[in-house]
Amino acid sequence: MLFNCTGVGPVLTLFRPWKSTVRLDIFHFMRRFTNGLTTEHHPLYGTFCSKLSSCIFEWDKDDVGHLKEAKRSELKKKHQGHVPTDTQVLSNISNSELAKHCRRKTRGVEETRSLIQKLLDSMWELTDTTGLRLINHESMARVWEVQQKHLPCIQDPPGVQLYTNIGSKSQKGDKALDVLRCGWGSSSLESFHRHQCSFIPGKLKLNIFETFYLMCC
């Protein structure tokens, strides 16, 4: 039997006798918050999405520590022995390097709930230079009320190894770093189902891909 985060729905019975748990993808969880914003073209949209991601994920401290040591070694070699400060080291680490050499994990239900609430509180009244608010209060209140039930669903499944060491090393300075690949991954189908409901008219537009998406709606 298939289960989703809200129990057993009628659609799930179509896939018997599979034994599986269907979880809401974190990308789609985050995308739902855009329904509570006035527009995706707001100057603060990118900041909001970045902070929302930080409310859900945290970097593995050991992995980050190893990357910082390697980057420090690389910068020291590049600048003829000059020892860079921690600020200089961090400013020279790119997002792609973090994703390549460091693992991320979810923060847990209650910490995520608390951090998202603090994020919403801090940005609740923010506007652009024309006075346009980033957050539509009525819409965001409704979005947040509904999405809190999915917080357990988006946590890392216990006992599942989400990262794979692909077996190669990346040399930085005199340090060698593991190259990691995350099992979550991404694809060209990300967010497709959400937009599909908008650009295909009519009610009878379900397909097999939407079926999986709707399991956790």
Side-chain angles (χ1 to χ4, degrees):
M1 173 63 72
L2 282 161
F3 294 88
N4 67 2
C5 52
T6 57
V8 181
V11 175
L12 302 181
T13 60
L14 295 174
F15 297 93
R16 288 179 177 176
W18 291 359
K19 294 181 180 180
S20 182
T21 300
V22 179
R23 293 173 175 265
L24 176 64
D25 182 76
I26 295 177
F27 178 85
H28 288 102
F29 174 84
M30 294 177 61
R31 282 293 301 173
R32 292 176 179 187
F33 279 84
T34 63
N35 292 327
L37 304 180
T38 54
T39 173
E40 294 183 23
H41 302 290
H42 198 284
L44 294 173
Y45 173 78
T47 301
F48 176 83
C49 291
S50 176
K51 290 183 177 293
L52 179 60
S53 178
S54 296
C55 292
I56 299 171
F57 294 106
E58 62 179 339
W59 292 104
D60 183 276
K61 293 181 179 179
D62 291 336
D63 289 346
V64 173
H66 294 153
L67 177 57
K68 286 172 63 177
E69 290 178 7
K71 179 61 69 171
R72 192 185 308 275
S73 173
E74 182 183 60
L75 292 174
K76 185 177 179 180
K77 184 177 181 180
K78 182 178 179 180
H79 297 289
Q80 300 179 346
H82 172 72
V83 180
T85 65
D86 285 345
T87 301
Q88 291 172 327
V89 170
L90 289 173
S91 65
N92 279 276
I93 295 177
S94 66
N95 290 335
S96 61
E97 287 177 314
L98 280 169
K100 186 177 182 180
H101 303 297
C102 302
R103 289 163 291 188
R104 288 197 304 176
K105 60 182 179 180
T106 51
R107 294 178 177 272
V109 173
E110 294 309 317
E111 184 177 359
T112 301
R113 190 195 313 276
S114 175
L115 290 174
I116 293 179
Q117 185 62 63
K118 290 178 180 178
L119 171 62
L120 294 176
D121 291 342
S122 68
M123 304 191 76
W124 198 251
E125 300 293 341
L126 295 186
T127 67
D128 63 9
T129 55
T130 68
L132 177 65
R133 283 177 174 168
L134 169 68
I135 295 176
N136 180 311
H137 291 179
E138 182 179 352
S139 297
M140 185 60 81
R142 184 167 56 251
V143 167
W144 180 220
E145 179 183 4
V146 173
Q147 294 314 305
Q148 288 188 63
K149 71 180 180 182
H150 292 298
L151 291 176
C153 187
I154 64 171
Q155 304 305 311
D156 292 340
V160 177
Q161 181 59 256
L162 296 176
Y163 282 86
T164 303
N165 186 335
I166 66 173
S168 61
K169 296 285 186 179
S170 178
Q171 193 71 28
K172 294 185 182 298
D174 60 356
K175 307 289 184 180
L177 294 172
D178 292 332
V179 178
L180 304 171
R181 177 181 295 161
C182 182
W184 288 123
S186 62
S187 74
S188 59
L189 288 178
E190 283 183 344
S191 198
F192 171 76
H193 312 305
R194 178 178 180 272
H195 293 293
Q196 188 178 36
C197 292
S198 300
F199 64 71
I200 297 180
K203 297 181 179 180
L204 299 177
K205 53 190 177 184
L206 288 179
N207 57 34
I208 189 64
F209 300 108
E210 284 186 287
T211 300
F212 278 104
Y213 173 64
L214 292 173
M215 285 177 181
C216 282
C217 288

